[in-house]
Amino acid sequence: MDGNALFFLIFAVLGGLALFILGMSIMSDGLRVAAGPGLRTLLSKATANRFAGLALGTLLGFLVHSSAASVMLVGFLNAGLMSLAQAVAPMLGTNLGTSLSMQLVSFHLTDYCYIGIVAGLVFQMAVPNPRAKSIGRALVGFGLLFLGMKTMSEAIAPHRDLLRHYLAAIDGQTLSGRLLGVGLAFALTAIIQSSGATIGMAFALADAGVFDSLWQTYPVVVGAQIGTCATALLGSIGTGIDSRRAAAGNLLTNVVNAGFSIALAPLWVPLFARTSPDLVRQTANTHTLLMIQNCCVFLPVVPLYARLLRKLVPSRLPPPEPSHLQPGLLEFPEQAIAACFRELRRVAKLCLHSLRLAGQAILFAHSAKDVQTVRLNEQAINEIKLAMKDYLAGLARRRLSKRQAILAQHIDRCMSDLERVGDHVETLCSLSLRRKKVPEAIVDADSFGQFFALFETTLRILRQVAGSFDPDRDDVAEIAARILQARAAHVQASQAVRATFNDKVSRRELTPVAGMFFGEYLSALDRIVRHCRNIALSEQQPQFWIKRSKLVKQMELAPEPAIPPLVDPRDFLERLRHAESDDPE
């Protein structure tokens, strides 16, 4: 093979691999969006027991593949919505689910790749329904995936004899050949962070005739299952200790399973080869059967394994506060409402922690870990907000008193305000990272001191908000009044500082760039304090309290409400036309 042919062969294979990875990504995104919030709700129910966790993790892995699914689980752990023991079974399931999705890829559907692309594009362009558009996107990804496999196979086929010579060393019949194949597959998967892509390449090599025996594809499957853990390990950087333990546990389970697979290869390969006359199907079946082996080894010992991980990945820090949204409390509405209060306090503490770190960023005294923590906290708050909405929806199905029904709405609004506080805190951090790169944005000590006094006021107000979400306190209304007073003082001080900055910019004592940066800082602080004010107004409502005598009162599900008929739009169209025609003067 001359240099020109080698050049085009390399890029044809890389191009086919890129199409495969792109198609897999698009297909996973489309399926995830088509599943909607139900996918997240299913994952939250994985805490019921280990078998439910395995089943739901398998579904998640089938839809979004193990690497992305593992990152989602790490995020759940970091948000405190799942314990380490509850996460082990879904982690095992994500690997099994990925193997099932690769079963679909193993069928010889390359002739239909263009049909999938065309049908998916038609769905996206012609069907207005958002879920149908997502299904269309998944079909486009499905077609691109098989087009990538077709591209790789057609590029490799003319050179199969040459490539067979170079890849002959990957031979599972010898221990050295087995370990070489595992190592190469591990390295490739860790780099591209997709076990599906590595196994898809093995499918293409088998389809082109370069691999002619399961002894050659078997080590690739084993190595890919170890390399896929790299994504979860990277995603756990900067997260809580249980998230890092789960990522390490995912690696450990796959390494142990790989060890068993390498040792049992003389037994498994002849047995698995009998599952199909086609090598591609044999490889897909091997992938699934090895993942089943992984589940059989670790699922019976999940609690013991979780304790082992705590010893292997120790921490001197206390464990993070877990979620208070326990499904069992929904039968006791007052206890469930008290749990929501505690969850609001937990979220407010996350916001407070992030705001302190954002203050360090404003002072340019931060580390990369601090910035990562702010971002991860914001993601955790987003997850908790969705979990809170699901929890309140479950609570609303019970027979609630008038106070409980209205209080649930106040809790929902408070959660939304805290989520927005988290967004604005992240904005403060991002502004600081940008300002650090702009020398013209530096201000004098006096101006910075005036601004930072406002930041300290914001920090104190948010601390009061966090303290107010205590279901055992009887002075919530008094705390809310103090928050409102502090907010009024903050507004006046903010206006004064803004006027001072504008005056200094006009007198060229500050650069316009500095004025813009600190104007954005002030806006973010004002928004944080405004959301604190919204929370305080809710806390001053007469329904915002816990009735101790109702804590042990159990309530059944309420009957299904009668759905009123849809409003006739004709009753309002005339009003709309009148509103549009009104003279604004």
Side-chain angles (χ1 to χ4, degrees):
M1 184 187 301
D2 59 21
N4 189 51
L6 179 62
F7 175 84
F8 283 104
L9 172 62
I10 291 173
F11 277 94
V13 173
L14 291 177
L17 180 62
L19 278 174
F20 186 95
I21 295 173
L22 178 63
M24 184 178 294
S25 175
I26 292 174
M27 184 175 70
S28 296
D29 287 344
L31 289 173
R32 183 166 60 243
V33 174
L39 186 62
R40 198 204 138 276
T41 303
L42 280 174
L43 185 58
S44 67
K45 293 179 180 177
T47 59
N49 58 66
R50 70 187 75 174
F51 298 103
L54 178 67
L56 294 169
T58 300
L59 175 62
L60 185 66
F62 178 80
L63 292 176
V64 300
H65 295 275
S66 59
S67 54
S70 299
V71 171
M72 290 178 67
L73 286 169
V74 166
F76 256 57
L77 277 162
N78 192 51
L81 299 174
M82 184 180 285
S83 69
L84 179 62
Q86 291 168 336
V88 173
M91 281 282 192
L92 295 172
T94 59
N95 293 319
L96 178 58
T98 300
S99 74
L100 295 179
S101 69
M102 294 309 295
Q103 288 279 357
L104 180 64
V105 176
S106 69
F107 289 103
H108 295 275
L109 302 175
T110 52
D111 292 339
Y112 302 96
C113 63
Y114 298 111
I115 297 176
I117 294 171
V118 172
L121 189 61
V122 169
F123 263 78
Q124 283 192 281
M125 297 183 67
V127 182
N129 185 279
R131 182 160 292 184
K133 286 182 179 292
S134 299
I135 294 173
R137 181 175 172 80
L139 284 173
V140 171
F142 182 80
L144 289 175
L145 184 151
F146 282 102
L147 180 60
M149 281 195 63
K150 182 178 181 180
T151 302
M152 284 190 286
S153 297
E154 290 178 351
I156 291 169
H159 311 284
R160 64 170 64 91
D161 294 332
L162 180 62
L163 290 173
R164 189 183 294 124
H165 171 74
Y166 284 112
L167 296 177
I170 301 176
D171 184 2
Q173 296 187 70
T174 64
L175 181 60
S176 60
R178 220 174 298 160
L179 294 175
L180 176 63
V182 169
L184 290 175
F186 160 73
L188 179 61
T189 306
I191 291 170
I192 62 179
Q193 296 188 30
S194 173
S195 60
T198 300
I199 296 172
M201 183 175 288
F203 287 171
L205 290 169
D207 194 44
V210 176
F211 286 158
D212 55 11
S213 167
L214 186 60
W215 283 109
Q216 292 182 287
T217 58
Y218 185 90
V220 175
V221 172
V222 175
Q225 78 175 79
I226 305 174
T228 193
C229 302
T231 306
L233 289 170
L234 292 172
S236 69
I237 295 174
T239 60
I241 182 61
D242 276 353
S243 299
R244 300 198 298 276
R245 285 169 176 158
N250 186 38
L251 175 64
L252 182 59
T253 56
N254 284 5
V255 167
V256 171
N257 190 50
F260 281 129
S261 301
I262 292 170
L264 295 174
L267 172 65
W268 288 150
V269 172
L271 184 63
F272 295 166
R274 297 176 185 174
T275 60
S276 174
D278 179 68
L279 178 56
V280 174
R281 296 285 305 122
Q282 290 174 13
T283 305
N285 294 339
T286 296
H287 188 200
T288 300
L289 291 168
L290 292 182
M291 293 302 100
I292 292 174
Q293 171 186 273
N294 196 24
C295 295
C296 291
V297 171
F298 286 99
L299 196 61
V301 295
V302 164
L304 293 174
Y305 187 61
R307 287 200 288 270
L308 175 64
L309 289 175
R310 291 190 181 96
K311 292 182 179 180
L312 293 177
V313 188
S315 175
R316 296 180 180 178
L317 298 174
E321 186 179 1
S323 174
H324 300 278
L325 304 179
Q326 301 302 319
L329 297 179
L330 290 174
E331 296 181 10
F332 305 90
E334 204 68 16
Q335 290 187 32
I337 288 172
C340 290
F341 277 20
R342 295 187 180 96
E343 192 73 354
L344 289 173
R345 183 177 58 184
R346 186 170 79 93
V347 175
K349 287 180 180 178
L350 282 175
C351 292
L352 192 60
H353 181 218
S354 292
L355 187 58
R356 291 193 191 101
L357 295 178
Q360 293 177 199
I362 290 171
L363 296 169
F364 297 158
H366 63 283
S367 65
K369 183 180 178 181
D370 294 335
V371 175
Q372 178 72 351
T373 299
V374 170
R375 290 171 177 164
L376 289 171
N377 281 351
E378 199 275 329
Q379 293 172 14
I381 292 168
N382 291 342
E383 289 289 352
I384 296 170
K385 176 188 174 182
L386 295 173
M388 178 74 85
K389 285 190 175 295
D390 289 344
Y391 196 77
L392 290 173
L395 178 63
R397 297 188 184 98
R398 300 278 166 179
R399 294 180 182 271
L400 303 180
S401 67
K402 292 179 180 179
R403 178 187 59 82
Q404 290 170 339
I406 296 174
L407 182 50
Q409 296 177 50
H410 287 309
I411 290 171
D412 184 49
R413 282 195 288 271
C414 288
M415 184 66 243
S416 296
D417 280 309
L418 285 176
E419 189 270 333
R420 295 298 295 143
V421 167
D423 292 339
H424 297 312
V425 171
E426 187 181 25
T427 297
L428 286 172
C429 193
S430 300
L431 275 171
S432 299
L433 296 180
R434 286 165 42 204
R435 185 172 68 91
K436 191 174 183 180
K437 300 176 182 178
V438 183
E440 297 85 0
I442 304 299
V443 300
D444 60 276
D446 179 60
S447 300
F448 188 86
Q450 292 181 53
F451 157 74
F452 203 76
L454 275 178
F455 177 85
E456 292 171 314
T457 301
T458 305
L459 197 62
R460 285 192 290 270
I461 291 173
L462 187 56
R463 188 181 297 114
Q464 287 181 300
V465 169
S468 69
F469 290 126
D470 186 347
D472 298 323
R473 298 192 71 143
D474 296 323
D475 59 343
V476 175
E478 290 82 353
I479 297 175
R482 291 198 294 271
I483 292 171
L484 292 175
Q485 291 174 357
R487 190 261 175 175
H490 172 92
V491 170
Q492 293 182 353
S494 176
Q495 291 172 348
V497 172
R498 195 181 294 273
T500 299
F501 271 77
N502 290 340
D503 182 58
K504 288 189 175 184
V505 170
S506 66
R507 289 189 281 113
R508 300 191 180 278
E509 294 178 16
L510 292 178
T511 65
V513 174
M516 287 189 290
F517 269 103
F518 279 86
E520 290 186 66
Y521 273 138
L522 292 171
S523 295
L525 293 180
D526 289 347
R527 291 180 184 123
I528 291 171
V529 174
R530 184 169 67 246
H531 287 295
C532 292
R533 163 192 169 269
N534 294 342
I535 292 170
L537 289 174
S538 291
E539 290 176 330
Q540 284 194 323
Q541 298 304 308
Q543 301 85 7
F544 210 96
W545 59 288
I546 298 295
K547 193 170 186 178
R548 311 292 172 205
S549 61
K550 284 193 172 184
L551 287 173
V552 294
K553 189 170 183 180
Q554 187 173 5
M555 299 301 293
E556 301 296 329
L557 290 172
E560 290 295 326
I563 306 299
L566 288 174
V567 172
D568 189 345
R570 293 174 296 182
D571 296 339
F572 296 90
L573 286 174
E574 189 64 29
R575 291 167 60 177
L576 180 61
R577 283 193 289 270
H578 281 303
E580 289 178 340
S581 62
D582 284 347
D583 188 349
E585 297 180 359

